[in-house]
Amino acid sequence: MMEAQYDPQQIELKWQAHWEQENTFASVDGDGEKYYLLEMFPYPSGKIHMGHVRNYSIGDVVARYQRMKGFNVLHPMGWDAFGMPAENAAIERQVHPAAWTRDNIESMRQQLKRMGFSYDWNRELATCDPSYYRWEQLFFLQMYEKGLVYKKKSSVNWCEHCQTVLANEQVEAGLCWRCGQEVENRDLSQWFFRITNYAEELLAGCDNLPGWPERVTTMQKNWIGKSVGANIVFPLVDSDKSITVFTTRQDTLYGATFMSLAPEHPLVAELVAGTGREAEVEAFISRCRQARHENRDPGSQEKEGVFTGRYCLNPVTGRKMPIYLANFVLLEYGTGAVMAVPAHDQRDFEFARMYDLPVVVVIQPEGEKLDPGTMEEAYVGAGRLVNSGPFDGLDNREALEKIAGYLAEQGKGKKTVTYRLRDWGISRQRYWGTPIPIIYCDHCGVVPVPAKDLPVVLPEKVNLSGAGGSPLAAMPDFVETTCPVCGRQARRETDTMDTFVESSWYYIRYACANYDREPLDKRAVSYWLPVDQYIGGIEHAILHLLYSRFFTRVLRDLGYVDFSEPFTRLLTQGMVIKDGAKMSKSKGNVVDPDALIKKYGADTARMFSLFAAPPELDLDWNEQGVEGASRFLHRLWRLVHAALPMIEDTVPYAGAFADLPETLQTLRRKTHQTIKKVRQDVEERFHFNTAISAVMELVNTLKPYIDQPVDDPVCRQVVREAVETVLVLLAPIVPHITEELWQCLGQETELSACRLPDHDPASIQVDTIVMVVQVNGKVRERLNVAADIGRDELESMVMASGKVQKYLEGKPVKKFIVVPKKLVNVVV
């Protein structure tokens, strides 16, 4: 029979149509032990890119692999469909964001299907559908009732290009995370989620995520930024007011000689009023604002300050302390005010020397005596207190607790814990997002939309001009409404929610995507959640992952879920890079997945993206690697077809390893070593590259048995077992070609429904022998080695022996004599 040609296009389309028709990858609630595999859902930009191909190929291998282990797998897909890019693109193209988004979803859905990903498309969702965001609006109302939502006027991050507010987490080095343009500060009235209520729990939870990369949990801990210290009250001179300072170094309080305020501190205007320094101070504030727009890292700026003309009193020494504004003090840290201790803080030391401010040493190191007049840098180490009144002589670490207690007794301060984390500002002045379900009534004030009136639907008949602010505010049909309390005329909130709200709970909705009676079907959620394996980019370490952890806890406290952590294990995959840079249109180094599939097929694209690098590392794109993956698949096709005459009428070997002749033991040993290796690599490390390499080695071992067939029934069975093993182990990686070849073997059960084999311990056991090692004819070592060890491996083991190295005395080896299975003699 003539061998069929390997035609990836025909084969892949055939199996994709079959899977869709048979609903092969649909998941059933409560059907056996579950495994929930999820990749971060995409923004529907129009086309998938190689980053998507890699991310989703990784996820698909895991999903298919777990299904072949017998798990009931949930592997859904949906669309993070709201957001500024759709609105901006719609303005540029003069199309509606809804139409643009839905067209993109349709295109990308077809691309994902063409890759052969095993998604349960029955659970597909898009966050721009009212059927989705109606429940988000309900969560908002319930959070509002619980005091977890509030509105206040605050200084916000404003992106002029995107015409909207950004959360702190969305500002990167002073630039908008979306468009890369400069961000400025504005005072606006905004809605906030009280994420700070969960700061301590979110922080503690970071230590209970063993399945997460330490890098990610460390980033979250740093962002939450817990500090333990004291709030200390400094009375203002000639005023009945005071300034409260948070410090973690209350042990240095007696050495505080001046105060530094953030330029944006709310007391600044009041402090400088009438001092004659108003213009100088305002000019300084403007310079600081500009500098922070250009570079948000105050630590990299040259220290600069301005005297306000006002003083406060050190609460324990009574010292009159000048109050400065300083460009390195941040309003968002602590209280925005710093007690400056120049002898023991380097920034304060540099500032004091610059403005000729006093330096008082209050901690002396053991065996030294610091002189404030000659110090060249601050002393920040441990020591004993001096110049500190009743606390003189105490170890400074012991003094932390005692001084905090003393301040509390005197009513001058108290022990305090602060967090860097700030409440999540969710108001966005854009159209394409979830409407905030709030009504403003001149008679009743702020009124939540009744739950029975949800969803507040985003109107689609809207004029998107690109002008500043949300177009919703200019739509009387949307804005004008009736107060649900008093029946008078009222107006709707026109801000929409930050799109990170949608992505903070979508993974739970997948469990019951078509459930319409409540936000969540508790039975389905209890079965599927939490997510067993989550996969996505490291760039989401703070934003999306922290918000999701917060939202899960909120839903727990609202009674919707019974777990606290949404993702049991997390894999952060590396980027796809080409020509030394991340693929991007602006760099002109993008590879089109469609063109790749058209030329080579989806299986080749999948294999290359999995073989080129471990998933956690960046993948360096190269065409030679793609061609290599394609060549291997063609080779696999030819190998199986060449084996068919030999194995089509037999079954895999199921006898004892010991009953096989040595030549067949070699093949069976390699088969079961490969099974063990692949399962370890995939299950323990997700190292698909080394798993693929192991299968390639098995193919190399198998080929001579097929090229020179032996007319022996046992040999045919051992070869059949090896061929089937190759296909089963490769099935999650290259599912189309393996399904086709499996069918060629005469199998009735689809490969995707087969179980992964377990290795036979007896077949991989290697006999060991003791090799005597001599140096210049004298016995110096005995090594346990495999009976079939090769010369190169044996030489490496011998030369790695400490005992052998001792007697070589660094001399060069002249001869390496091997008597097989008996001894080695190293001659120097």
mmCIF file of all heavy atoms in Angstrom, residues 657-684:
data_model
loop_
_atom_site.group_PDB
_atom_site.id
_atom_site.type_symbol
_atom_site.label_atom_id
_atom_site.label_comp_id
_atom_site.label_asym_id
_atom_site.label_seq_id
_atom_site.Cartn_x
_atom_site.Cartn_y
_atom_site.Cartn_z
ATOM 1 N N PHE A 657 9.583 -8.228 31.175
ATOM 2 C CA PHE A 657 10.800 -7.674 30.577
ATOM 3 C C PHE A 657 11.893 -8.727 30.524
ATOM 4 O O PHE A 657 12.636 -8.834 29.535
ATOM 5 C CB PHE A 657 11.258 -6.472 31.404
ATOM 6 C CG PHE A 657 12.539 -5.848 30.931
ATOM 7 C CD1 PHE A 657 12.544 -5.008 29.829
ATOM 8 C CD2 PHE A 657 13.740 -6.102 31.587
ATOM 9 C CE1 PHE A 657 13.722 -4.428 29.381
ATOM 10 C CE2 PHE A 657 14.928 -5.520 31.150
ATOM 11 C CZ PHE A 657 14.916 -4.686 30.045
ATOM 12 N N ALA A 658 11.971 -9.515 31.565
ATOM 13 C CA ALA A 658 13.049 -10.515 31.657
ATOM 14 C C ALA A 658 12.932 -11.586 30.582
ATOM 15 O O ALA A 658 13.924 -12.263 30.258
ATOM 16 C CB ALA A 658 13.054 -11.150 33.039
ATOM 17 N N ASP A 659 11.732 -11.757 30.016
ATOM 18 C CA ASP A 659 11.532 -12.799 28.999
ATOM 19 C C ASP A 659 11.994 -12.365 27.622
ATOM 20 O O ASP A 659 12.010 -13.183 26.689
ATOM 21 C CB ASP A 659 10.042 -13.173 28.925
ATOM 22 C CG ASP A 659 9.564 -13.847 30.202
ATOM 23 O OD1 ASP A 659 10.431 -14.324 30.970
ATOM 24 O OD2 ASP A 659 8.343 -13.871 30.439
ATOM 25 N N LEU A 660 12.370 -11.083 27.486
ATOM 26 C CA LEU A 660 12.759 -10.570 26.173
ATOM 27 C C LEU A 660 14.241 -10.807 25.923
ATOM 28 O O LEU A 660 15.065 -10.755 26.851
ATOM 29 C CB LEU A 660 12.486 -9.069 26.083
ATOM 30 C CG LEU A 660 11.024 -8.634 26.102
ATOM 31 C CD1 LEU A 660 10.937 -7.106 26.202
ATOM 32 C CD2 LEU A 660 10.286 -9.121 24.861
ATOM 33 N N PRO A 661 14.608 -11.018 24.655
ATOM 34 C CA PRO A 661 16.039 -11.069 24.334
ATOM 35 C C PRO A 661 16.646 -9.675 24.503
ATOM 36 O O PRO A 661 15.935 -8.660 24.517
ATOM 37 C CB PRO A 661 16.055 -11.501 22.865
ATOM 38 C CG PRO A 661 14.719 -11.103 22.327
ATOM 39 C CD PRO A 661 13.756 -11.255 23.473
ATOM 40 N N GLU A 662 17.959 -9.609 24.617
ATOM 41 C CA GLU A 662 18.632 -8.350 24.937
ATOM 42 C C GLU A 662 18.314 -7.254 23.941
ATOM 43 O O GLU A 662 18.118 -6.099 24.317
ATOM 44 C CB GLU A 662 20.141 -8.581 25.022
ATOM 45 C CG GLU A 662 20.907 -7.351 25.507
ATOM 46 C CD GLU A 662 22.378 -7.635 25.750
ATOM 47 O OE1 GLU A 662 22.748 -8.828 25.794
ATOM 48 O OE2 GLU A 662 23.141 -6.660 25.892
ATOM 49 N N THR A 663 18.242 -7.580 22.656
ATOM 50 C CA THR A 663 17.993 -6.535 21.648
ATOM 51 C C THR A 663 16.621 -5.894 21.827
ATOM 52 O O THR A 663 16.462 -4.689 21.611
ATOM 53 C CB THR A 663 18.143 -7.119 20.228
ATOM 54 O OG1 THR A 663 17.910 -6.084 19.282
ATOM 55 C CG2 THR A 663 17.161 -8.253 19.988
ATOM 56 N N LEU A 664 15.627 -6.689 22.233
ATOM 57 C CA LEU A 664 14.293 -6.138 22.456
ATOM 58 C C LEU A 664 14.184 -5.478 23.831
ATOM 59 O O LEU A 664 13.383 -4.560 24.018
ATOM 60 C CB LEU A 664 13.228 -7.233 22.306
ATOM 61 C CG LEU A 664 13.072 -7.794 20.891
ATOM 62 C CD1 LEU A 664 11.984 -8.855 20.840
ATOM 63 C CD2 LEU A 664 12.764 -6.687 19.886
ATOM 64 N N GLN A 665 14.993 -5.955 24.776
ATOM 65 C CA GLN A 665 15.029 -5.271 26.073
ATOM 66 C C GLN A 665 15.483 -3.820 25.904
ATOM 67 O O GLN A 665 14.994 -2.907 26.574
ATOM 68 C CB GLN A 665 15.976 -6.004 27.032
ATOM 69 C CG GLN A 665 15.403 -7.275 27.629
ATOM 70 C CD GLN A 665 16.316 -7.865 28.690
ATOM 71 O OE1 GLN A 665 17.481 -7.478 28.823
ATOM 72 N NE2 GLN A 665 15.801 -8.830 29.457
ATOM 73 N N THR A 666 16.413 -3.599 24.999
ATOM 74 C CA THR A 666 16.908 -2.235 24.756
ATOM 75 C C THR A 666 15.784 -1.311 24.328
ATOM 76 O O THR A 666 15.656 -0.189 24.843
ATOM 77 C CB THR A 666 18.005 -2.259 23.678
ATOM 78 O OG1 THR A 666 19.083 -3.076 24.122
ATOM 79 C CG2 THR A 666 18.515 -0.842 23.401
ATOM 80 N N LEU A 667 14.937 -1.753 23.392
ATOM 81 C CA LEU A 667 13.832 -0.916 22.919
ATOM 82 C C LEU A 667 12.771 -0.739 24.001
ATOM 83 O O LEU A 667 12.283 0.366 24.227
ATOM 84 C CB LEU A 667 13.202 -1.520 21.668
ATOM 85 C CG LEU A 667 11.996 -0.764 21.098
ATOM 86 C CD1 LEU A 667 12.342 0.681 20.794
ATOM 87 C CD2 LEU A 667 11.456 -1.466 19.845
ATOM 88 N N ARG A 668 12.462 -1.847 24.697
ATOM 89 C CA ARG A 668 11.411 -1.718 25.725
ATOM 90 C C ARG A 668 11.887 -0.848 26.891
ATOM 91 O O ARG A 668 11.111 -0.068 27.458
ATOM 92 C CB ARG A 668 10.984 -3.086 26.255
ATOM 93 C CG ARG A 668 9.707 -2.974 27.110
ATOM 94 C CD ARG A 668 8.963 -4.289 27.224
ATOM 95 N NE ARG A 668 7.548 -4.053 27.425
ATOM 96 C CZ ARG A 668 6.935 -4.143 28.612
ATOM 97 N NH1 ARG A 668 7.627 -4.436 29.689
ATOM 98 N NH2 ARG A 668 5.641 -3.924 28.706
ATOM 99 N N ARG A 669 13.161 -0.978 27.230
ATOM 100 C CA ARG A 669 13.694 -0.121 28.296
ATOM 101 C C ARG A 669 13.575 1.350 27.893
ATOM 102 O O ARG A 669 13.144 2.189 28.679
ATOM 103 C CB ARG A 669 15.156 -0.472 28.585
ATOM 104 C CG ARG A 669 15.776 0.400 29.680
ATOM 105 C CD ARG A 669 17.239 0.069 29.935
ATOM 106 N NE ARG A 669 17.391 -1.294 30.439
ATOM 107 C CZ ARG A 669 18.005 -2.273 29.787
ATOM 108 N NH1 ARG A 669 18.546 -2.020 28.587
ATOM 109 N NH2 ARG A 669 18.110 -3.463 30.300
ATOM 110 N N LYS A 670 13.939 1.668 26.658
ATOM 111 C CA LYS A 670 13.855 3.048 26.187
ATOM 112 C C LYS A 670 12.410 3.532 26.169
ATOM 113 O O LYS A 670 12.119 4.691 26.518
ATOM 114 C CB LYS A 670 14.455 3.169 24.787
ATOM 115 C CG LYS A 670 14.621 4.609 24.312
ATOM 116 C CD LYS A 670 15.623 5.349 25.187
ATOM 117 C CE LYS A 670 15.915 6.741 24.677
ATOM 118 N NZ LYS A 670 16.836 7.475 25.561
ATOM 119 N N THR A 671 11.494 2.674 25.796
ATOM 120 C CA THR A 671 10.075 3.047 25.777
ATOM 121 C C THR A 671 9.607 3.454 27.164
ATOM 122 O O THR A 671 8.984 4.510 27.350
ATOM 123 C CB THR A 671 9.218 1.869 25.260
ATOM 124 O OG1 THR A 671 9.592 1.581 23.909
ATOM 125 C CG2 THR A 671 7.733 2.209 25.316
ATOM 126 N N HIS A 672 9.932 2.654 28.156
ATOM 127 C CA HIS A 672 9.430 2.934 29.504
ATOM 128 C C HIS A 672 10.251 4.012 30.213
ATOM 129 O O HIS A 672 9.710 4.734 31.066
ATOM 130 C CB HIS A 672 9.354 1.640 30.304
ATOM 131 C CG HIS A 672 8.194 0.798 29.877
ATOM 132 N ND1 HIS A 672 6.964 0.854 30.479
ATOM 133 C CD2 HIS A 672 8.063 -0.086 28.840
ATOM 134 C CE1 HIS A 672 6.127 0.032 29.864
ATOM 135 N NE2 HIS A 672 6.769 -0.547 28.863
ATOM 136 N N GLN A 673 11.515 4.151 29.861
ATOM 137 C CA GLN A 673 12.274 5.299 30.364
ATOM 138 C C GLN A 673 11.669 6.603 29.843
ATOM 139 O O GLN A 673 11.605 7.600 30.567
ATOM 140 C CB GLN A 673 13.740 5.197 29.914
ATOM 141 C CG GLN A 673 14.554 4.160 30.674
ATOM 142 C CD GLN A 673 15.945 4.003 30.092
ATOM 143 O OE1 GLN A 673 16.199 4.327 28.931
ATOM 144 N NE2 GLN A 673 16.869 3.471 30.911
ATOM 145 N N THR A 674 11.230 6.575 28.591
ATOM 146 C CA THR A 674 10.624 7.769 27.987
ATOM 147 C C THR A 674 9.305 8.101 28.659
ATOM 148 O O THR A 674 9.003 9.275 28.925
ATOM 149 C CB THR A 674 10.419 7.554 26.478
ATOM 150 O OG1 THR A 674 11.674 7.213 25.873
ATOM 151 C CG2 THR A 674 9.865 8.815 25.823
ATOM 152 N N ILE A 675 8.492 7.081 28.935
ATOM 153 C CA ILE A 675 7.232 7.322 29.643
ATOM 154 C C ILE A 675 7.499 8.004 30.977
ATOM 155 O O ILE A 675 6.872 9.018 31.324
ATOM 156 C CB ILE A 675 6.468 5.997 29.864
ATOM 157 C CG1 ILE A 675 5.992 5.409 28.527
ATOM 158 C CG2 ILE A 675 5.270 6.218 30.799
ATOM 159 C CD1 ILE A 675 5.457 3.993 28.640
ATOM 160 N N LYS A 676 8.450 7.476 31.728
ATOM 161 C CA LYS A 676 8.769 8.049 33.037
ATOM 162 C C LYS A 676 9.292 9.471 32.899
ATOM 163 O O LYS A 676 8.863 10.382 33.633
ATOM 164 C CB LYS A 676 9.808 7.181 33.746
ATOM 165 C CG LYS A 676 10.172 7.688 35.145
ATOM 166 C CD LYS A 676 11.204 6.799 35.820
ATOM 167 C CE LYS A 676 11.527 7.333 37.223
ATOM 168 N NZ LYS A 676 12.559 6.511 37.895
ATOM 169 N N LYS A 677 10.194 9.687 31.962
ATOM 170 C CA LYS A 677 10.799 11.001 31.765
ATOM 171 C C LYS A 677 9.756 12.040 31.364
ATOM 172 O O LYS A 677 9.714 13.150 31.924
ATOM 173 C CB LYS A 677 11.877 10.892 30.688
ATOM 174 C CG LYS A 677 12.424 12.201 30.153
ATOM 175 C CD LYS A 677 13.331 12.889 31.142
ATOM 176 C CE LYS A 677 14.026 14.080 30.504
ATOM 177 N NZ LYS A 677 14.659 14.949 31.514
ATOM 178 N N VAL A 678 8.909 11.703 30.409
ATOM 179 C CA VAL A 678 7.891 12.652 29.936
ATOM 180 C C VAL A 678 6.919 13.000 31.046
ATOM 181 O O VAL A 678 6.579 14.173 31.257
ATOM 182 C CB VAL A 678 7.145 12.088 28.707
ATOM 183 C CG1 VAL A 678 5.915 12.936 28.377
ATOM 184 C CG2 VAL A 678 8.085 12.029 27.508
ATOM 185 N N ARG A 679 6.483 12.004 31.779
ATOM 186 C CA ARG A 679 5.519 12.277 32.850
ATOM 187 C C ARG A 679 6.137 13.146 33.941
ATOM 188 O O ARG A 679 5.490 14.040 34.481
ATOM 189 C CB ARG A 679 4.965 10.973 33.411
ATOM 190 C CG ARG A 679 4.133 10.203 32.382
ATOM 191 C CD ARG A 679 3.204 9.200 32.995
ATOM 192 N NE ARG A 679 2.202 9.826 33.856
ATOM 193 C CZ ARG A 679 1.076 9.242 34.236
ATOM 194 N NH1 ARG A 679 0.788 8.017 33.810
ATOM 195 N NH2 ARG A 679 0.228 9.849 35.022
ATOM 196 N N GLN A 680 7.389 12.881 34.280
ATOM 197 C CA GLN A 680 8.052 13.727 35.275
ATOM 198 C C GLN A 680 8.221 15.153 34.771
ATOM 199 O O GLN A 680 7.948 16.116 35.492
ATOM 200 C CB GLN A 680 9.418 13.138 35.631
ATOM 201 C CG GLN A 680 9.364 11.911 36.526
ATOM 202 C CD GLN A 680 10.751 11.359 36.820
ATOM 203 O OE1 GLN A 680 11.692 11.562 36.051
ATOM 204 N NE2 GLN A 680 10.878 10.643 37.927
ATOM 205 N N ASP A 681 8.663 15.294 33.531
ATOM 206 C CA ASP A 681 8.913 16.629 32.983
ATOM 207 C C ASP A 681 7.635 17.454 32.888
ATOM 208 O O ASP A 681 7.637 18.652 33.184
ATOM 209 C CB ASP A 681 9.557 16.528 31.595
ATOM 210 C CG ASP A 681 11.024 16.141 31.668
ATOM 211 O OD1 ASP A 681 11.584 16.170 32.778
ATOM 212 O OD2 ASP A 681 11.609 15.816 30.614
ATOM 213 N N VAL A 682 6.544 16.815 32.491
ATOM 214 C CA VAL A 682 5.284 17.544 32.330
ATOM 215 C C VAL A 682 4.607 17.765 33.672
ATOM 216 O O VAL A 682 4.177 18.883 33.993
ATOM 217 C CB VAL A 682 4.343 16.809 31.358
ATOM 218 C CG1 VAL A 682 2.979 17.505 31.302
ATOM 219 C CG2 VAL A 682 4.958 16.754 29.961
ATOM 220 N N GLU A 683 4.529 16.759 34.492
ATOM 221 C CA GLU A 683 3.767 16.848 35.735
ATOM 222 C C GLU A 683 4.489 17.641 36.820
ATOM 223 O O GLU A 683 3.851 18.337 37.606
ATOM 224 C CB GLU A 683 3.446 15.437 36.251
ATOM 225 C CG GLU A 683 2.485 14.683 35.348
ATOM 226 C CD GLU A 683 2.199 13.273 35.855
ATOM 227 O OE1 GLU A 683 2.254 13.058 37.079
ATOM 228 O OE2 GLU A 683 1.922 12.393 35.024
ATOM 229 N N GLU A 684 5.797 17.551 36.864
ATOM 230 C CA GLU A 684 6.539 18.195 37.950
ATOM 231 C C GLU A 684 7.092 19.564 37.574
ATOM 232 O O GLU A 684 7.241 20.433 38.431
ATOM 233 C CB GLU A 684 7.693 17.282 38.399
ATOM 234 C CG GLU A 684 7.223 15.941 38.976
ATOM 235 C CD GLU A 684 8.386 15.011 39.293
ATOM 236 O OE1 GLU A 684 9.544 15.482 39.295
ATOM 237 O OE2 GLU A 684 8.137 13.811 39.517
#
